[in-house]
Amino acid sequence: MAVSIRDLAAWKASGTRFVMLTAYDYPTALLLAEAEVPVLLVGDSLADNVLGYPNTIPVTMTEMLHHARAVARGASGQLLVGDLPFGSYQRSCADAVENAVEFLKAGMHAVKLEGAGWVVETVARLTQRGIPVMGHLGLTPQSVNAFGGLKVQARSAADRERLIADAHALEDAGAFALVVEGIPRDLAAQVTSELVIPTIGIGAGPDCDAQVLVIHDLLGITGHLRGTVPKFVKPYADLGDRIVSAARAYADDVREGRFPDDAHSFH
Ligand code: KIV
């Protein structure tokens, strides 16, 4: 059965918690379909997790679309969300509409964009045109330069009030869900209880309606490569270690003449 934004609204109304995971390629989409993950985000975290950029700023629409198409080919029934990358909606609402249309043509069902303020009008323009929008507040990685690093946001009373007002503004503009990233647990709980739309937390505590993680963090690839993971990440596998061990074992077998053997040969 295909998951739609209506399902997310129903899950919020009935108190049914759900998950979203990032996916950047065809096999991951197939595997996450098998695992019955209902929402896949082709995140702009493609930049640092797959393409080797230092942060999410450099990734382009062309790169995002390439991966979005691959995920769409592997998915079966999940709600697919394309993350509008930095530069694809900042210049004008017209740009936002054009790039969101490209995502939907690539097989996505919705788009995500970061921030509020001037972004609220963009969200309204997109939703008025039949393009479902997921908002994203708090530690919004595309603002890394404005924040002076990636730090927990909304710690002061004024910032907390602003985030709550921004969340309501995005909901009023038509957003169907809201990612809240890197904010204090009690603030995420308050936003979750005040909004009608579901909140999807990452580094925002357990009281959100849903949770999202970057798939490379969950699989233990990031932890292996960087030697550390952020406090909010829980790796559920050690794929980084396993990939290195497997590649080493293969190389040893070839060097020692154990592979290929007769069983792996044609006669
Ligand atoms: O790009 C991404 O992975 C994200 C999630 C962390 C929400 O935006």
Side-chain angles (χ1 to χ4, degrees), residues 22 24 41 43-45 83 112 136 179 181 202 212 214:
T22 65
Y24 314 107
L41 171 68
D44 63 350
S45 52
D83 209 1
K112 178 170 85 57
H136 187 163
V179 171
E181 176 167 358
I202 175 163
V212 55
V214 167

Side-chain angles (χ1 to χ4, degrees), residues 20-24 41-49 56 64 83 112 114 134-136 139-142 179-181 200-202 212-215 217 232:
M20 175 164 86
L21 277 172
T22 65
Y24 314 107
L41 171 68
V42 183
D44 63 350
S45 52
L46 168 74
D48 38 333
N49 286 291
T56 60
M64 291 297 298
D83 209 1
K112 178 170 85 57
E114 297 183 3
M134 180 179 281
H136 187 163
L139 198 179
T140 44
Q142 292 177 15
V179 171
V180 283
E181 176 167 358
I200 305 177
I202 175 163
V212 55
L213 270 184
V214 167
I215 188 75
D217 291 349
F232 60 83

Side-chain angles (χ1 to χ4, degrees), residues 2-60:
V3 177
S4 76
I5 62 169
R6 282 173 175 267
D7 294 303
L8 271 58
W11 292 336
K12 166 89 185 200
S14 65
T16 307
R17 288 160 64 82
F18 63 94
V19 296
M20 175 164 86
L21 277 172
T22 65
Y24 314 107
D25 57 39
Y26 172 76
T28 305
L30 284 174
L31 293 167
L32 297 184
E34 192 178 329
E36 296 177 18
V37 173
V39 189
L40 300 186
L41 171 68
V42 183
D44 63 350
S45 52
L46 168 74
D48 38 333
N49 286 291
V50 175
L51 300 182
Y53 294 128
N55 54 43
T56 60
I57 302 294
V59 72
T60 64

Side-chain angles (χ1 to χ4, degrees), residues 29-184:
L30 284 174
L31 293 167
L32 297 184
E34 192 178 329
E36 296 177 18
V37 173
V39 189
L40 300 186
L41 171 68
V42 183
D44 63 350
S45 52
L46 168 74
D48 38 333
N49 286 291
V50 175
L51 300 182
Y53 294 128
N55 54 43
T56 60
I57 302 294
V59 72
T60 64
M61 256 322 275
T62 306
E63 290 165 327
M64 291 297 298
L65 287 170
H66 181 68
H67 289 263
R69 288 189 195 100
V71 169
R73 285 192 286 270
S76 49
Q78 292 107 322
L79 182 71
L80 304 180
V81 183
D83 209 1
L84 285 165
F86 183 73
S88 70
Y89 61 98
Q90 279 81 358
R91 293 185 186 93
S92 68
C93 281
D95 260 12
V97 172
E98 189 177 320
N99 288 314
V101 165
E102 290 306 311
F103 262 136
L104 266 60
K105 285 188 181 295
M108 302 291 102
H109 307 115
V111 297
K112 178 170 85 57
L113 76 185
E114 297 183 3
W118 61 269
V119 173
V120 172
E121 187 193 340
T122 307
V123 172
R125 295 265 197 110
L126 291 169
T127 56
Q128 283 156 12
R129 283 158 179 75
I131 301 169
V133 180
M134 180 179 281
H136 187 163
L137 290 177
L139 198 179
T140 44
Q142 292 177 15
S143 300
V144 57
N145 294 315
F147 292 155
L150 296 176
K151 308 171 190 143
V152 173
Q153 297 295 306
R155 286 195 185 277
S156 73
D159 287 349
R160 289 170 67 96
E161 269 180 38
R162 198 177 58 231
L163 190 136
I164 292 167
D166 286 348
H168 282 286
L170 290 169
E171 176 172 275
D172 293 345
F176 72 91
L178 178 66
V179 171
V180 283
E181 176 167 358
I183 61 170

